[in-house]
Amino acid sequence: MAISPTQAAAALDEIEATEQRTRAAGGYAIASPYLILWGVLWTIGYAGCAFAPPARWGLVWLPLVLIGAGGSAWLGGRAPKGRRGEGGALARSMAMAAAIGAFIGAVYYVFRPAGTLPYLVFPALIVGLVYTLAGTVARLPRFAWIGVAIFVLTMAGYVALPDWMALWTAAVAGGGLVLGGLWLRRV
Amino acid sequence: MDGPDEIIHQSLRLRIMAALHAARGGEGVEFNRLRALVGATDGNLGSHLTTLAGAGYVSLEKDFVGKKPRTRASISADGARAFRAHTDYLRGILDSAEG
């Protein structure tokens, strides 16, 4: 069997595309349950903000964040070998989440928002940005689409529905993460 | 390597080997997932997996999840070696053409 340079190039392209698709599917399978978990918690948290006074928002979020951290550790432990990502992936994700939380807190401290609206909007925008960047850098396009959708819909709510922002964010950020997590389960 | 690996070079088998090589080190790739990754039909995939398993390049593991049968495929050490040798051969053709 003789293989021409054109056929060899086509075969190598096919290999590269299949390997990239397989790696992406593996990454999506790892991330999917985390997105669903945090999406549910965000939906509950933001919906809670719609009904609780701002002074109680910390009490709404504290148990949810603890549940999320515990749930993430549990998911990391029960994932089958080969779906846990590279060594220390969970620890790196936790460190990244802590860095993002610290960044958001620092921005609030420095800029001291006058009303409550920025407290609702800013975390969702940052999460949208993080998923967009992660998807672009790691060549995981579905992450990027999830990030873009959360970012754009959050901004749309900020402009058009500021009085309903807590419920809107619950729907588009929390719901967006849940739907995104379900989408990632599909190859 | 003197020539191409004729078992691997067939288009669908090449994609199967590429997917299994990219997923090596895990618990194998489930049949339905593999079918979606390589764009094959059930019958096609089953037939080519049997060929690859017969050559010792792929191992197939069948079990049950609840009452549902499950087949998982993974690349063997021989398969990974043969796949890498075949891709090296393909790159060699390109290098020769460019040089």
Side-chain angles (χ1 to χ4, degrees):
Chain A
M1 176 170 61
I3 298 175
S4 70
T6 309
Q7 288 171 321
L12 286 169
D13 285 348
E14 204 167 13
I15 289 169
E16 166 63 22
T18 306
E19 286 183 335
Q20 170 55 27
R21 203 160 44 239
T22 305
R23 280 193 290 270
Y28 294 152
I30 292 169
S32 165
Y34 295 96
L35 262 75
I36 293 171
L37 168 69
W38 283 99
V40 169
L41 296 174
W42 270 44
T43 304
I44 296 168
Y46 277 110
C49 290
F51 299 106
R56 296 280 173 89
W57 286 1
L59 291 175
V60 171
W61 280 101
L62 181 63
L64 295 173
V65 169
L66 293 176
I67 290 169
S72 297
W74 179 74
L75 285 171
R78 75 184 271 276
K81 181 180 168 250
R83 280 204 182 177
R84 292 179 190 177
E86 294 163 17
L90 179 63
R92 287 202 305 276
S93 301
M94 292 289 203
M96 197 173 80
I100 292 167
F103 173 77
I104 291 172
V107 169
Y108 288 156
Y109 182 77
V110 170
F111 292 99
R112 298 185 186 277
T116 55
L117 210 48
Y119 290 99
L120 295 170
V121 174
F122 191 56
L125 293 179
I126 289 292
V127 165
L129 174 67
V130 166
Y131 275 100
T132 305
L133 293 178
T136 306
V137 171
R139 296 171 72 191
L140 297 169
R142 290 190 193 182
F143 277 6
W145 283 114
I146 291 167
V148 167
I150 290 175
F151 188 95
V152 169
L153 289 170
T154 301
M155 277 310 294
Y158 180 75
V159 171
L161 299 164
D163 294 340
W164 295 89
M165 202 59 216
L167 287 176
W168 178 259
T169 313
V172 301
L177 288 175
V178 171
L179 289 176
L182 293 172
W183 184 35
L184 295 186
R185 290 171 72 170
R186 300 175 63 88
V187 178
Chain B
M1 188 178 182
D2 295 335
D5 186 316
E6 301 205 8
I7 295 172
I8 293 178
H9 191 67
Q10 193 278 340
S11 175
L12 180 54
R13 288 200 287 269
L14 187 70
R15 275 178 276 149
I16 293 170
M17 291 297 282
L20 297 181
H21 190 259
R24 69 192 181 283
E27 292 189 327
V29 182
E30 287 176 33
F31 188 90
N32 290 339
R33 194 172 188 79
L34 184 59
R35 188 187 56 195
L37 287 170
V38 301
T41 62
D42 275 357
N44 237 350
L45 180 60
S47 148
H48 286 297
L49 277 176
T50 304
T51 303
L52 290 167
Y57 290 170
V58 162
S59 61
L60 299 174
E61 192 181 327
K62 293 175 190 253
D63 61 2
F64 283 85
V65 180
K67 289 183 177 176
K68 280 180 68 177
R70 177 176 65 169
T71 301
R72 283 178 295 173
S74 50
I75 196 166
S76 67
D78 282 349
R81 244 189 318 272
F83 178 73
R84 281 193 293 268
H86 186 69
T87 53
D88 286 347
Y89 174 77
L90 294 173
R91 286 194 194 97
I93 292 174
L94 288 187
D95 290 345
S96 303
E98 286 165 6

